[in-house]
Amino acid sequence: MQCEAQSDASALEMRDVVVVGGGASGLTAARAAARRGLNVTLLERTPQVGGNLRTRRDGDWQIELGPNTLMMKPPLHALLDELGLLDEAQPANPTARRRYIAYRGAPVALPSHWLKAPINSLIGPRGVGALLREPFQRRAPQAEESLADFVTRRLGRRALDHLVDPFVSGVYAGDPERLSAQAAMPRLVALEREYGSLVRGGLVRLRQARRAAPTLPREWRGQLVSFPSGLQRLAERLAEDITAQSSAAIHCECEVSAVYREGEYWRVETASGQGFRARELVLAVPAPTAAALLAPLDQDMAVPLEAIVYPPVNAVSVGFRRADIAHPLDGFGMLIPGVEHRQTLGALFSSTLFPGRAPSEHVLLTAFLGGRRQPEAAESDDDAQVAQVVADLRDLLGISGEPVWQSVSRWPQAIPQYELGHFERLAALETALERHPGLSLIGNWRDGIAVGDCLENGRRLGERIAETLGT
């Protein structure tokens, strides 16, 4: 899908809605508003929409520069159905249910059943004992709590170091000592608040889920999915659906330089001199970008946005001959806890997850460097990044050769951190936003970092705007 070329005309275009940012949130917000009959323009700074949904093909190698999978949930299923993408959706290899964690220099699979937990080295009798004691631990204090404190209080230090810490690295590239339990893991905290125990609450929720009517067809329940041509396909299809509406347009390579209020409307100006006037303005951009645009308008909006941290993360993709890796690579990937003292946060077994990601008799790994605790690990050149990943993984996976293909994708501002004080920052932002009707801010820095969350939050925002404007 080609974006509409931007005009050099100085005439001011009048729109119902202008959306700044063509990532998952912006695309679904623009689509929802356009499908309700509003005149919508989406402005994207880069040559293509999708944000971090980017796929690269190099001969027989195919990599994701950003997210690698989507979790199939009812909202995503409905969206793919509307877009005609369900037939293209590609479930992950069933072995992806197996997850490895590095433990004392070796990859250990998480137990597939709770009865196997006592003999699993990651959990063992001590871990089982902590689970048995968990229902009797004290409830959370009223004050906000770090994720590290929350997990240690309920499950002990072992669970934090060997289970939660690597999970946090895989999802946030974050530091559990800094992350807010309430903001980063709200469902986990809710179990304690509602049931007084993670174990007790988890069992109740499991029984409720089994009794509830299915919300997805059986073949899609719990599935991780992608597309043969990669996740960028979803962004392209969303853009096609937006521009299929006669009242909607997308302008790529269109950097917004200023936004401000002009009477009853919002004025948007671009670096090329193009201007738009809109009844509703949506900033679907990273928090630092939103802060820079809003600072001249209201510092009370800019300050909380500037406080949201985005550490750098590099995705290092390395291809090997299958014969040069001893490990069967029979899973989603391997996470590496901080207590293992390696720079690599973890690695996905990309060619195991989906077919068509590597040539025959070869395998593809996607590893990650950087993050909140080791941002300096993302600073070296590409060859050094690859060398570090290979050194960290060599003994864990039994690598005997060198990569035959490599690629490094750099994200200087990668994943927003929901750190202590996150809710207070969002509350301050919302208070300031009340002074600016017709302005909405959305992105993965609030209400969930997963792509699925962004897609659904964008849809809801677009529909709310349509209702506000009376369509």
Side-chain angles (χ1 to χ4, degrees):
M1 181 266 170
Q2 295 295 320
C3 298
E4 180 179 322
Q6 67 178 74
S7 169
D8 291 328
S10 59
L12 202 62
E13 295 187 31
M14 180 64 198
R15 310 297 286 172
D16 291 321
V17 185
V18 168
V19 178
V20 180
S25 303
L27 285 169
T28 49
R31 176 179 180 267
R35 284 165 64 89
R36 294 284 289 270
L38 296 178
N39 295 311
V40 180
T41 290
L42 186 149
L43 308 176
E44 167 56 37
R45 178 180 59 84
T46 67
Q48 64 186 39
V49 296
N52 57 11
L53 293 177
R54 299 187 193 177
T55 307
R56 177 188 168 205
R57 188 83 188 179
D58 180 14
D60 290 331
W61 301 98
Q62 180 171 299
I63 62 171
E64 300 289 357
L65 278 63
N68 282 257
T69 62
L70 297 172
M71 172 61 76
M72 186 66 84
K73 295 181 179 180
L76 178 63
H77 185 272
L79 176 64
L80 298 185
D81 192 23
E82 291 172 4
L83 294 171
L85 285 177
L86 270 182
D87 289 342
E88 293 183 38
Q90 189 177 44
N93 188 322
T95 62
R97 298 181 186 277
R98 183 178 292 111
R99 309 294 176 100
Y100 287 93
I101 294 178
Y103 179 72
R104 296 183 177 179
V108 177
L110 286 166
S112 57
H113 193 280
W114 67 269
L115 288 175
K116 297 181 180 180
I119 60 173
N120 184 276
S121 56
L122 285 167
I123 301 174
R126 288 173 56 196
V128 172
L131 283 172
L132 293 175
R133 292 190 299 272
E134 190 275 337
F136 305 99
Q137 301 300 321
R138 62 184 174 86
R139 287 176 179 266
Q142 293 298 314
E144 186 181 26
E145 195 174 16
S146 76
L147 184 58
D149 287 344
F150 176 86
V151 173
T152 302
R153 178 172 56 80
R154 297 226 61 92
L155 295 170
R157 188 74 197 188
R158 182 182 179 86
L160 173 66
D161 288 343
H162 298 290
L163 298 174
V164 175
D165 174 272
F167 174 79
V168 167
S169 292
V171 175
Y172 282 94
D175 180 355
E177 301 284 352
R178 291 186 173 106
L179 287 172
S180 162
Q182 287 78 3
M185 299 285 179
R187 293 182 180 88
L188 200 64
V189 175
L191 292 178
E192 181 187 48
R193 184 178 64 250
E194 295 176 27
Y195 303 100
S197 162
L198 307 185
V199 172
R200 191 183 303 122
L203 292 173
V204 171
R205 293 283 177 86
L206 182 61
R207 287 195 296 268
Q208 291 173 342
R210 287 174 174 172
R211 293 170 183 170
T215 56
L216 281 175
R218 181 180 297 274
E219 66 271 20
W220 293 117
R221 294 176 203 167
Q223 287 284 6
L224 295 171
V225 300
S226 184
F227 305 94
S229 58
L231 291 184
Q232 188 172 316
R233 172 63 176 142
L234 174 58
E236 293 169 348
R237 184 67 193 92
L238 283 166
E240 290 170 358
D241 202 55
I242 292 169
T243 54
Q245 313 297 319
S246 60
S247 59
I250 296 176
H251 299 291
C252 289
E253 297 187 286
C254 188
E255 183 172 2
V256 172
S257 56
V259 300
Y260 51 90
R261 192 77 176 175
E262 192 173 66
E264 297 181 356
Y265 300 96
W266 284 94
R267 176 76 174 265
V268 180
E269 295 182 352
T270 71
S272 65
Q274 194 174 13
F276 299 87
R277 183 180 285 130
R279 299 163 68 190
E280 294 276 340
L281 172 62
V282 176
L283 297 185
V285 294
T289 304
L293 288 172
L294 296 174
L297 179 68
D298 189 338
Q299 274 291 328
D300 288 345
M301 288 193 289
V303 169
L305 290 166
E306 291 169 345
I308 298 174
V309 177
Y310 283 70
V313 176
N314 295 340
V316 182
S317 300
V318 283
F320 291 90
R321 289 178 290 271
R322 170 66 268 196
D324 288 341
I325 297 185
H327 193 278
L329 305 179
D330 53 344
F332 183 84
M334 176 182 61
L335 295 170
I336 304 178
V339 293
E340 292 291 309
H341 302 295
R342 304 183 189 226
Q343 290 193 23
T344 301
L345 301 175
L348 303 180
F349 304 158
S350 300
S351 53
T352 299
L353 289 176
F354 302 104
R357 304 301 167 103
S360 176
E361 303 302 321
H362 290 74
V363 294
L364 176 66
L365 306 176
T366 304
F368 302 93
L369 288 170
R372 186 67 164 116
R373 289 190 294 200
Q374 300 184 84
E376 69 283 354
E379 294 175 357
S380 60
D381 63 32
D382 286 4
D383 287 341
Q385 292 280 291
V386 170
Q388 182 65 58
V389 164
V390 174
D392 285 341
L393 299 182
R394 189 174 293 280
D395 62 323
L396 289 169
L397 299 180
I399 299 174
S400 58
E402 297 300 321
V404 297
W405 184 87
Q406 65 186 54
S407 176
V408 178
S409 306
R410 296 176 181 268
W411 297 95
Q413 293 180 318
I415 304 171
Q417 303 293 295
Y418 291 17
E419 296 190 342
L420 291 167
H422 190 71
F423 284 147
E424 286 80 1
R425 287 186 282 275
L426 294 185
L429 176 63
E430 289 302 318
T431 298
L433 273 171
E434 292 175 1
R435 301 194 291 268
H436 305 281
L439 173 64
S440 300
L441 278 69
I442 193 170
N444 65 348
W445 48 269
R446 64 185 307 172
D447 304 322
I449 63 169
V451 176
D453 293 329
C454 294
L455 294 169
E456 180 63 5
N457 293 337
R459 180 193 67 80
R460 290 175 177 173
L461 175 60
E463 292 183 352
R464 285 199 302 270
I465 288 173
E467 292 172 0
T468 299
L469 297 181
T471 62

